Each structure stands twice: as structure tokens, then as C-alpha cells.
Amino acid sequence: MLAGCGDDEAQAKANGGPAERPIPVTTQQIQLTAWNDTLQALGTAKARESVTLTAKVSEIVQDVHFESGQQVGAGQKLVTLKGDAAQATLVQAEATYAEAERLYRRQKELADQQLIARSQLDTQLALRDAAAARVRQARADIGDRSVRAPFAGVLGIRQVSPGSLITANSTIATLDDISRMYVDFQVPEAALASVEAGNTVTATAAAYPGESFEGQVETIDARIDANTRAVTVRAVFANEGRKLRPGMLLDVRLFRPERQALVIPEIAVVQVGRDSFVYRVKPDGSVEQAPVTAGVRRDGKVEILKGVAAGDRIVIDGTGKLRPGVKVADAAPAAPAKQDEPAADGQG
């Protein structure tokens, strides 16, 4: 008799009889919401300004005025080279100029009195100007023996020491302005129309797991690479913490302009092989499978391109126990846990 009763109950459930109870699930009505697509690419970080410091002349290093990794200002002296010969040349040039200047003034007085020819005064004027040019050249040679920072930034590892001989090809150090960083990455030609200056860009680095950096598109290259059919996009990132370094590989996400789209929680989409569907609630409370085409997924949400419409109610939690035709009901929200009342403190 018990076995018979069990068979009848199972048959009643199979026929959708009164023995079948609605399955508690969580549902949601689909609405159009603000959404923007993202493009993912790999980018390389570059300093806003970057230079390898070298000397203009070959000379012995007299003094080094910096340490590796030091922050320096624009125009700060970094290296002084020996300049005894250049200093002597300057003294000689200044003496020659002073003599030429005296002769010119004397001959000018004579020319004013018409005691010498005007051509002789012009010759002396040319000699004085040539002497002045040699003075400027000698001073420039002395200036070339002081290496200064062309802009404010952070120095790399020092490559020279006092007493070492350096040439025009010798590296003194690297200098990078990393207060702001550029990140260059490739965007497919097909997505070029949706990329513009000002688009938001986020980037992550393997060196800082779980941390995201935010920037903006600054420049789009004027040319498309004929081999890759991609265009180079440059984004600028603020770098107050100096975490981004030149040459760093970054995972970049470019956010396209915002638009209205059908967006649902990602857990509502059931994947079976290559097919995707959601459980849509019909007016009678039963569910049906609605095949959908999913678009971009981000932050636990997914855009639905095809298969459902605004106003449809779908199951977002509890899909694992559903099948087409069963009835569902919204699960009541769990009541908040009742907190224990604090015990009275009998101690004074």
C-alpha cells in the first residue's frame, strides 16, 4: 500500500498535479541600463619624458653630484668634467678680445678726426667681433663640461665615477619623468570608430595583483599598421605613487562610450555546450528556456544581445534545480538574524 501511494504521488508530480509545489528562486525583471563595452589589449608603459644622459665631449670626470635613483630638478648639475684646458683657452680669448676692443676704440677716434681711412677701422671692427666670438665659444666649451638634468625626473643607476674617462657615447645615467605615464596599446581597425580621446582606460600589472590604475586616451595614431590592421592608442596615467615604471607590461581595458543595453547577472545564463539560455518566467508562473546570445561580460554581469526583451522576468538564482514547465516562486528574503540582547552588567 505504501508503495502504491508513492507511485501515485510521483505520477501526480509528473502530471503537474496539486502535489507539485513552486520551486523557490530569485527572479529579476530585465530593464535597459547604462552599459559600455570594453576592449582588452596588452600595453607598454613609457615615461612622459625619457633620456639617456651623455656628455658632449671626451674628458675626465671631476665630480659626480647625484646618487642612483635620486629625484632631481630641471637644470640641476649632475656631473662636472675637468676643464683646465678650456679655462685657459677662455682666459686667452678674453685677453685677445680686450686688446681688439682697445684698438678699435683708438682707431675710431682717429677715424672721426679723419686721420685714418674708414676701411682700416672696418678691419679692426671685424677683428674685434671675431675675438668676441672666440670668447663665447670658449665659454660654451666650459659649459659642455657640466652635465645638467634637462627636465625634472628620477635618475637610474649611476654608470660613472670620479676619475673615469667618458666619451660622447658613454652613458652617465638614465633620467625619466614618471610623474605621468604613457601606455601604448593596439586597437583593431574595426573598433577605431568607437575610440576617441577622453575614453576611460584601466590597466593592471602583474607586480600589483588586485590593483587597478585608471587613465584616459590622449592620442590615437594617425596611421593604421598595414600588417596588423591595428592602430596604436596612447593613454595617459597619473602616477603619484610612482608604481608604474617604464617598460612595464600592462593588461589594458578600454571603455567605449556608454549606451543603453540589456544587462543581467552572469549567473542567470546557463551554458550547455555551445548553447546559452536563461529561464524565463511565463505569466502562469512556470519557466521556459530562452536561448540567448551573450555579449561582453564584466564585473559579474553580461550583456544580452538577442533572445530576451525589456520587461521579461528571468530566474537569476536557483537555475540548477529547474526544468522547462516547472512553476517557480520568488523566495522570501531571509529575515535578519536576531541579535542577542546585551547582558546586564551587575558590577558597579
Side-chain angles (χ1 to χ4, degrees):
M1 291 177 62
L2 291 175
C5 292
D7 292 341
D8 293 342
E9 185 177 354
Q11 186 65 29
K13 289 183 179 180
N15 295 333
E20 183 178 8
R21 296 180 180 178
I23 298 175
V25 295
T26 303
T27 65
Q28 175 182 310
Q29 189 175 24
I30 302 177
Q31 299 291 345
L32 287 171
T33 57
W35 182 256
N36 49 4
D37 297 342
T38 61
L39 291 174
Q40 187 172 3
L42 292 177
T44 302
K46 297 181 179 181
R48 181 172 176 267
E49 301 288 351
S50 181
V51 68
T52 299
L53 298 172
T54 58
K56 292 183 179 180
V57 296
S58 298
E59 191 53 271
I60 301 296
V61 176
Q62 179 174 323
D63 293 304
V64 178
H65 309 286
F66 71 93
E67 296 296 334
S68 299
Q70 181 180 340
Q71 178 79 34
V72 296
Q76 182 173 333
K77 184 184 291 187
L78 304 177
V79 173
T80 300
L81 305 179
K82 286 188 176 181
D84 297 340
Q87 191 67 39
T89 302
L90 175 60
V91 172
Q92 180 182 5
E94 288 177 339
T96 302
Y97 170 75
E99 179 63 21
E101 177 67 17
R102 284 194 298 270
L103 288 176
Y104 171 74
R105 290 180 180 179
R106 185 179 306 154
Q107 291 186 11
K108 187 174 185 305
E109 292 176 357
L110 296 176
D112 292 340
Q113 298 174 12
Q114 297 184 351
L115 297 178
I116 62 172
R118 188 57 118 179
S119 60
Q120 187 176 350
L121 177 63
D122 293 340
T123 301
Q124 184 58 39
L125 176 62
L127 293 174
R128 186 202 68 173
D129 291 344
R134 286 192 290 272
V135 170
R136 291 193 296 270
Q137 181 179 359
R139 288 175 178 171
D141 289 341
I142 293 177
D144 290 342
R145 282 160 173 75
S146 294
V147 180
R148 298 179 180 271
F151 52 84
V154 179
L155 292 166
I157 297 176
R158 188 179 68 168
Q159 304 291 338
V160 296
S161 299
S164 59
L165 173 64
I166 63 174
T167 65
N169 296 324
S170 301
T171 297
I172 297 173
T174 58
L175 177 63
D176 297 299
D177 179 5
I178 59 174
S179 59
R180 298 173 66 198
M181 296 292 293
Y182 291 137
V183 176
D184 293 348
F185 57 95
Q186 299 285 317
V187 170
E189 177 185 356
L192 179 60
S194 61
V195 181
E196 58 185 13
N199 286 155
T200 300
V201 178
T202 62
T204 56
Y208 307 103
E211 187 170 356
S212 179
F213 305 91
E214 184 171 332
Q216 288 185 330
V217 173
E218 184 179 77
T219 307
I220 302 171
D221 198 354
R223 295 185 178 183
I224 295 176
D225 192 317
N227 296 320
T228 62
R229 299 300 176 186
V231 62
T232 300
V233 177
R234 169 166 289 183
V236 60
F237 288 75
N239 194 29
E240 292 86 357
R242 304 294 193 269
K243 291 185 176 181
L244 297 179
R245 300 293 182 91
M248 184 177 286
L249 181 66
L250 300 174
D251 184 4
V252 180
R253 292 181 182 271
L254 170 65
F255 290 81
R256 299 185 184 183
E258 193 173 76
R259 57 186 176 80
Q260 296 293 312
L262 298 176
V263 181
I264 64 174
E266 194 171 2
I267 60 173
V269 180
V270 181
Q271 190 78 29
V272 179
R274 296 185 177 181
D275 299 327
S276 301
F277 63 87
V278 297
Y279 281 103
R280 179 166 48 198
V281 182
K282 298 192 293 186
D284 62 355
S286 62
V287 296
E288 62 178 352
Q289 290 182 352
V292 295
T293 302
V296 177
R297 300 170 185 259
R298 189 178 75 248
D299 300 332
K301 296 182 179 180
V302 58
E303 177 190 7
I304 301 300
L305 304 176
K306 184 179 179 182
V308 292
D312 289 349
R313 182 168 293 278
I314 62 171
V315 177
I316 62 172
D317 191 14
T319 57
K321 49 191 175 184
L322 299 183
R323 65 180 185 277
V326 301
K327 292 191 175 183
V328 296
D330 276 320
K338 198 171 184 180
Q339 297 182 354
D340 297 333
E341 296 182 1
D345 189 357
Q347 297 180 358

